[in-house]
Amino acid sequence: MSQLTITNIPRRQCIPILYTRGTHYEVGYDVGRTFAAIIKNFLQLSGPLNNCYLPLYHTEEGRKIYNATLESVKRSFPQYVRELEGTADGAQVEFHKLFLLHLDDILPVVAEGQNSINQPIGCSTICVNEPDCEILAHTEDALSEVLNHYYFVSAHIISDSPQGKYNVTEERFTSLCYAGHLPGYTMNYNHHGLVFSINTLSAKTLCSGKTRKFGTCCQLLPIFKPLNKILSMLLLYSLARHFITRALLSAENFIQAQQILRDNGVGAADGCSVNMTFLKQEGDRLFHNAEMGPAMAGDQSQLNIFTASPGECIMHANKYLRLPVPEVTGLIIDSSVERMKTFGGFQTPRTVHDVIKMLGDTSAQEHTVFRENGPKDVIKTVCVGIFDCIRRTWTLYSDNPKFNAPLVVLPLVLKD
């Protein structure tokens, strides 16, 4: 039998978890030190990083975009930069590679006007709000190299002084993390009772409105014309969605969650969909789907929130359903449309069993909900998670939930 390499490891029935406490840097360092091998392997395998982000990073324009975006993040959330620096130091990898992963498509879109990949990326989420079934269920779909390169981080972060633009002194959460990534952009919950998952959305233009706005001003001031490009870039760099969703892990209530997503004064550079609920809220159970769009014409993210009351359901994939944001064309939209069409063929889900059948469905001709038709598939469902708000559990499957038992059921531990 040939020896397995990092490029041909089959799907593993394994999800490691780290419990850690300390400052942002210390928690990041523990993550890097504990998962160093997984992080290094992922950096070797990542197609977008090696084929797009790094080559652009080594150009003059790419480095300007990188530096300006890093400075923008440092102004708003220096603690998360320190957290990522800790991860890089602990894993003994270059910081700029990890930060490039968090820039996502900002670099290629701003530098070259195009997304880095045209693949059916993205996740599917279903929220059921019935008297005896209150669940948020989510498929974590990603490029195939992410398979076997993720882990749980359960962290308690304590700071001596208020941190970042929201003056946070304590964070306690559990998050499913891609290797080398900050917590917050997959499935998560915090000790205040916020439960949320993320669907990637792909806006066609990332904050170009700010560039145009500045350019108009510069036409009135020809003396500054040589500085137009540099100054426009400085205005362009809003926050990468990864850092906004990382900040969301500190939210204590729905009002704070909206404040973080709007990010008044800066705004998001790109978009995503956030599915969330608060376990400790008073009154009826409410689920929310927040579509966040780039801060195009102002200094805050575009935001549209749909709330599902008892008896209602939320289903979302990777296409804007309500917010009028121009989107990229290609496989991410085609896949999202087909997965939502598949959902539409089922009766409205009312039980966990209904949701498992939907998230494990493989009947579509091209873009199935649960994705794994062969070892060469570019996109795979790397895991499936179900948050049960009544039982206060998080059930995670490392394979298709229609045919496999859960790998782990975690309790949702909240602050007293």
Side-chain angles (χ1 to χ4, degrees):
M1 182 181 293
S2 61
Q3 186 174 359
L4 291 175
T5 68
I6 63 171
T7 59
N8 68 352
I9 300 175
R11 182 184 292 271
R12 308 304 301 161
Q13 302 299 313
C14 172
I15 305 175
I17 185 167
L18 170 68
Y19 295 93
T20 175
R21 179 171 58 203
T23 64
H24 285 277
Y25 180 86
E26 290 168 342
V27 164
Y29 186 89
D30 288 339
V31 170
R33 176 176 173 269
T34 303
F35 300 119
I38 298 176
I39 293 171
K40 289 176 180 176
N41 286 353
F42 182 72
L43 293 180
Q44 292 181 50
L45 293 175
S46 175
L49 175 67
N50 294 299
N51 300 328
C52 180
Y53 306 158
L54 280 172
L56 284 173
Y57 172 80
H58 291 297
T59 66
E60 181 180 358
E61 184 176 6
R63 188 65 64 86
K64 288 178 180 177
I65 296 169
Y66 173 95
N67 289 336
T69 311
L70 178 58
E71 287 306 309
S72 177
V73 175
K74 284 182 176 179
R75 285 194 294 270
S76 291
F77 301 118
Q79 73 272 33
Y80 301 143
V81 175
R82 291 195 299 273
E83 192 174 317
L84 197 60
E85 288 172 343
T87 300
D89 291 346
Q92 297 184 335
V93 299
E94 297 95 331
F95 170 81
H96 73 271
K97 291 184 178 180
L98 299 188
F99 191 74
L100 284 170
L101 293 175
H102 292 75
L103 291 190
D104 213 345
D105 268 339
I106 293 176
L107 195 57
V109 168
V110 175
E112 298 184 327
Q114 61 183 8
N115 293 73
S116 62
I117 57 174
N118 177 26
Q119 298 295 345
I121 57 176
C123 310
S124 305
T125 302
I126 300 174
C127 300
V128 175
N129 196 358
E130 296 293 329
D132 56 351
C133 181
E134 300 172 0
I135 62 172
L136 187 158
H138 181 82
T139 65
E140 195 58 52
D141 302 340
L143 291 169
S144 58
E145 54 257 39
V146 174
L147 188 67
N148 305 316
H149 292 87
Y150 59 93
Y151 41 76
F152 282 117
V153 172
S154 184
H156 187 188
I157 300 176
I158 305 169
S159 305
D160 293 333
S161 59
Q163 299 292 303
K165 67 190 297 182
Y166 301 118
N167 298 314
V168 179
T169 57
E170 181 185 23
E171 293 182 83
R172 194 164 192 167
F173 56 80
T174 299
S175 175
L176 187 76
C177 304
Y178 293 174
H181 290 69
L182 289 171
Y185 199 70
T186 57
M187 295 179 267
N188 325 263
Y189 85 93
N190 71 13
H191 69 161
H192 300 297
L194 168 60
V195 170
F196 69 97
S197 70
I198 304 296
N199 310 114
T200 292
L201 301 175
S202 293
K204 185 176 182 179
T205 305
L206 305 187
C207 294
S208 62
K210 290 187 178 181
T211 305
R212 288 196 298 269
K213 181 178 179 181
F214 186 81
T216 301
C217 296
C218 284
Q219 291 174 7
L220 302 177
L221 299 170
I223 190 172
F224 293 117
K225 197 169 184 179
L227 300 177
N228 281 359
K229 187 172 184 180
I230 294 175
L231 293 175
S232 295
M233 285 171 56
L234 291 176
L235 277 180
L236 173 64
Y237 298 108
S238 301
L239 285 171
R241 54 195 170 198
H242 286 269
F243 289 92
I244 290 179
T245 58
R246 172 63 187 86
L248 196 57
L249 283 168
S250 68
E252 297 185 21
N253 51 57
F254 187 46
I255 293 175
Q256 286 188 8
Q258 293 178 77
Q259 178 187 28
I260 290 168
L261 293 175
R262 290 192 187 279
D263 196 54
N264 189 43
V266 182
D270 38 19
C272 67
S273 161
V274 182
N275 312 279
M276 58 183 160
T277 189
F278 283 85
L279 299 179
K280 299 172 71 173
Q281 69 189 33
E282 296 182 0
D284 292 334
R285 167 68 50 214
L286 299 175
F287 288 95
H288 312 281
N289 173 261
E291 291 185 346
M292 182 181 75
M296 300 297 293
D299 60 355
Q300 65 179 17
S301 312
Q302 301 175 73
L303 200 63
N304 181 292
I305 298 177
F306 170 78
T307 297
S309 300
E312 297 180 319
C313 178
I314 290 175
M315 290 183 278
H316 211 288
N318 306 103
K319 185 181 187 305
Y320 283 103
L321 301 180
R322 304 177 307 277
L323 199 62
V325 173
E327 298 177 270
V328 300
T329 58
L331 292 175
I332 184 174
I333 301 301
D334 297 342
S335 169
S336 184
V337 169
E338 188 163 6
R339 281 177 280 139
M340 292 296 285
K341 182 179 179 181
T342 297
F343 288 162
F346 288 87
Q347 292 185 345
T348 301
R350 302 188 184 282
T351 67
V352 173
H353 182 66
D354 292 342
V355 170
I356 287 176
K357 286 195 299 183
M358 295 171 71
L359 294 185
D361 188 87
T362 56
S363 64
Q365 185 172 358
E366 186 172 3
H367 302 295
T368 60
V369 177
F370 189 93
R371 294 190 263 186
E372 178 159 334
N373 295 323
K376 295 184 179 180
D377 284 349
V378 175
I379 302 297
K380 293 184 183 294
T381 299
V382 299
C383 62
V384 176
I386 300 176
F387 291 96
D388 189 318
C389 301
I390 296 175
R391 295 175 177 81
R392 294 194 175 182
T393 58
W394 182 2
T395 301
L396 206 116
Y397 299 80
S398 57
D399 214 325
N400 193 322
K402 281 181 65 175
F403 310 111
N404 297 274
L407 184 62
V408 63
V409 179
L410 297 175
L412 303 180
V413 181
L414 307 185
K415 188 175 185 178
D416 291 335

mmCIF file of all heavy atoms in Angstrom, residues 129 276-278 281-288 307-310:
data_model
loop_
_atom_site.group_PDB
_atom_site.id
_atom_site.type_symbol
_atom_site.label_atom_id
_atom_site.label_comp_id
_atom_site.label_asym_id
_atom_site.label_seq_id
_atom_site.Cartn_x
_atom_site.Cartn_y
_atom_site.Cartn_z
ATOM 1 N N ASN A 129 -38.060 26.831 13.179
ATOM 2 C CA ASN A 129 -38.563 27.462 14.402
ATOM 3 C C ASN A 129 -39.962 26.930 14.708
ATOM 4 O O ASN A 129 -40.977 27.577 14.438
ATOM 5 C CB ASN A 129 -38.590 28.988 14.225
ATOM 6 C CG ASN A 129 -38.715 29.723 15.539
ATOM 7 O OD1 ASN A 129 -38.828 29.097 16.600
ATOM 8 N ND2 ASN A 129 -38.702 31.048 15.490
ATOM 9 N N MET A 276 -28.444 33.616 12.607
ATOM 10 C CA MET A 276 -28.158 33.684 14.039
ATOM 11 C C MET A 276 -29.416 33.640 14.882
ATOM 12 O O MET A 276 -30.527 33.936 14.427
ATOM 13 C CB MET A 276 -27.354 34.947 14.352
ATOM 14 C CG MET A 276 -28.021 36.242 13.942
ATOM 15 S SD MET A 276 -26.979 37.697 14.271
ATOM 16 C CE MET A 276 -27.736 38.903 13.180
ATOM 17 N N THR A 277 -29.197 33.298 16.162
ATOM 18 C CA THR A 277 -30.216 33.390 17.191
ATOM 19 C C THR A 277 -29.514 33.589 18.524
ATOM 20 O O THR A 277 -28.301 33.349 18.639
ATOM 21 C CB THR A 277 -31.115 32.138 17.223
ATOM 22 O OG1 THR A 277 -32.224 32.371 18.098
ATOM 23 C CG2 THR A 277 -30.357 30.917 17.718
ATOM 24 N N PHE A 278 -30.270 34.047 19.527
ATOM 25 C CA PHE A 278 -29.732 34.235 20.876
ATOM 26 C C PHE A 278 -30.478 33.309 21.833
ATOM 27 O O PHE A 278 -31.689 33.427 22.014
ATOM 28 C CB PHE A 278 -29.862 35.696 21.316
ATOM 29 C CG PHE A 278 -28.841 36.599 20.702
ATOM 30 C CD1 PHE A 278 -29.057 37.148 19.448
ATOM 31 C CD2 PHE A 278 -27.645 36.868 21.343
ATOM 32 C CE1 PHE A 278 -28.115 37.969 18.851
ATOM 33 C CE2 PHE A 278 -26.687 37.689 20.766
ATOM 34 C CZ PHE A 278 -26.916 38.238 19.512
ATOM 35 N N GLN A 281 -32.427 34.974 24.856
ATOM 36 C CA GLN A 281 -33.376 36.049 24.623
ATOM 37 C C GLN A 281 -34.702 35.759 25.314
ATOM 38 O O GLN A 281 -35.106 34.607 25.479
ATOM 39 C CB GLN A 281 -33.609 36.222 23.114
ATOM 40 C CG GLN A 281 -34.367 35.063 22.480
ATOM 41 C CD GLN A 281 -34.390 35.139 20.963
ATOM 42 O OE1 GLN A 281 -33.453 35.607 20.345
ATOM 43 N NE2 GLN A 281 -35.467 34.654 20.373
ATOM 44 N N GLU A 282 -35.389 36.795 25.713
ATOM 45 C CA GLU A 282 -36.689 36.645 26.345
ATOM 46 C C GLU A 282 -37.778 36.511 25.284
ATOM 47 O O GLU A 282 -37.648 37.005 24.166
ATOM 48 C CB GLU A 282 -36.974 37.850 27.243
ATOM 49 C CG GLU A 282 -36.006 37.985 28.412
ATOM 50 C CD GLU A 282 -36.343 39.167 29.297
ATOM 51 O OE1 GLU A 282 -37.333 39.883 28.987
ATOM 52 O OE2 GLU A 282 -35.633 39.389 30.294
ATOM 53 N N GLY A 283 -38.851 35.849 25.636
ATOM 54 C CA GLY A 283 -39.967 35.709 24.708
ATOM 55 C C GLY A 283 -39.768 34.583 23.723
ATOM 56 O O GLY A 283 -39.025 33.625 23.978
ATOM 57 N N ASP A 284 -40.440 34.683 22.577
ATOM 58 C CA ASP A 284 -40.398 33.636 21.560
ATOM 59 C C ASP A 284 -39.003 33.500 20.959
ATOM 60 O O ASP A 284 -38.240 34.471 20.891
ATOM 61 C CB ASP A 284 -41.390 33.951 20.437
ATOM 62 C CG ASP A 284 -42.840 33.871 20.880
ATOM 63 O OD1 ASP A 284 -43.114 33.130 21.850
ATOM 64 O OD2 ASP A 284 -43.686 34.552 20.274
ATOM 65 N N ARG A 285 -38.710 32.288 20.497
ATOM 66 C CA ARG A 285 -37.483 32.062 19.746
ATOM 67 C C ARG A 285 -37.544 32.832 18.434
ATOM 68 O O ARG A 285 -38.556 32.793 17.726
ATOM 69 C CB ARG A 285 -37.326 30.564 19.457
ATOM 70 C CG ARG A 285 -36.256 30.196 18.414
ATOM 71 C CD ARG A 285 -34.852 30.454 18.881
ATOM 72 N NE ARG A 285 -34.664 29.867 20.197
ATOM 73 C CZ ARG A 285 -33.890 30.393 21.137
ATOM 74 N NH1 ARG A 285 -33.248 31.526 20.899
ATOM 75 N NH2 ARG A 285 -33.771 29.821 22.315
ATOM 76 N N LEU A 286 -36.487 33.537 18.095
ATOM 77 C CA LEU A 286 -36.376 34.256 16.837
ATOM 78 C C LEU A 286 -35.063 33.874 16.166
ATOM 79 O O LEU A 286 -34.015 33.840 16.820
ATOM 80 C CB LEU A 286 -36.413 35.772 17.061
ATOM 81 C CG LEU A 286 -37.670 36.361 17.699
ATOM 82 C CD1 LEU A 286 -37.478 37.847 17.954
ATOM 83 C CD2 LEU A 286 -38.893 36.113 16.818
ATOM 84 N N PHE A 287 -35.137 33.569 14.886
ATOM 85 C CA PHE A 287 -33.933 33.372 14.076
ATOM 86 C C PHE A 287 -33.813 34.542 13.111
ATOM 87 O O PHE A 287 -34.817 35.061 12.607
ATOM 88 C CB PHE A 287 -34.016 32.064 13.278
ATOM 89 C CG PHE A 287 -33.880 30.823 14.116
ATOM 90 C CD1 PHE A 287 -35.008 30.165 14.576
ATOM 91 C CD2 PHE A 287 -32.632 30.315 14.437
ATOM 92 C CE1 PHE A 287 -34.895 29.015 15.343
ATOM 93 C CE2 PHE A 287 -32.509 29.172 15.211
ATOM 94 C CZ PHE A 287 -33.636 28.509 15.662
ATOM 95 N N HIS A 288 -32.593 34.954 12.847
ATOM 96 C CA HIS A 288 -32.352 36.097 11.968
ATOM 97 C C HIS A 288 -31.397 35.692 10.848
ATOM 98 O O HIS A 288 -30.424 34.975 11.081
ATOM 99 C CB HIS A 288 -31.737 37.264 12.735
ATOM 100 C CG HIS A 288 -32.441 37.605 14.014
ATOM 101 N ND1 HIS A 288 -33.603 38.342 14.047
ATOM 102 C CD2 HIS A 288 -32.143 37.286 15.305
ATOM 103 C CE1 HIS A 288 -33.990 38.483 15.313
ATOM 104 N NE2 HIS A 288 -33.122 37.846 16.085
ATOM 105 N N THR A 307 -36.280 38.177 9.877
ATOM 106 C CA THR A 307 -36.472 37.482 11.155
ATOM 107 C C THR A 307 -37.565 36.429 11.006
ATOM 108 O O THR A 307 -38.653 36.722 10.510
ATOM 109 C CB THR A 307 -36.844 38.482 12.266
ATOM 110 O OG1 THR A 307 -35.755 39.386 12.462
ATOM 111 C CG2 THR A 307 -37.126 37.747 13.566
ATOM 112 N N ALA A 308 -37.234 35.209 11.438
ATOM 113 C CA ALA A 308 -38.194 34.098 11.397
ATOM 114 C C ALA A 308 -38.796 33.913 12.785
ATOM 115 O O ALA A 308 -38.101 33.537 13.739
ATOM 116 C CB ALA A 308 -37.514 32.814 10.945
ATOM 117 N N SER A 309 -40.086 34.191 12.909
ATOM 118 C CA SER A 309 -40.824 33.981 14.151
ATOM 119 C C SER A 309 -41.236 32.516 14.263
ATOM 120 O O SER A 309 -41.033 31.729 13.326
ATOM 121 C CB SER A 309 -42.053 34.892 14.165
ATOM 122 O OG SER A 309 -41.678 36.249 14.085
ATOM 123 N N PRO A 310 -41.821 32.109 15.393
ATOM 124 C CA PRO A 310 -42.291 30.720 15.519
ATOM 125 C C PRO A 310 -43.194 30.318 14.352
ATOM 126 O O PRO A 310 -44.078 31.071 13.941
ATOM 127 C CB PRO A 310 -43.042 30.735 16.853
ATOM 128 C CG PRO A 310 -42.342 31.774 17.649
ATOM 129 C CD PRO A 310 -41.980 32.843 16.657
#
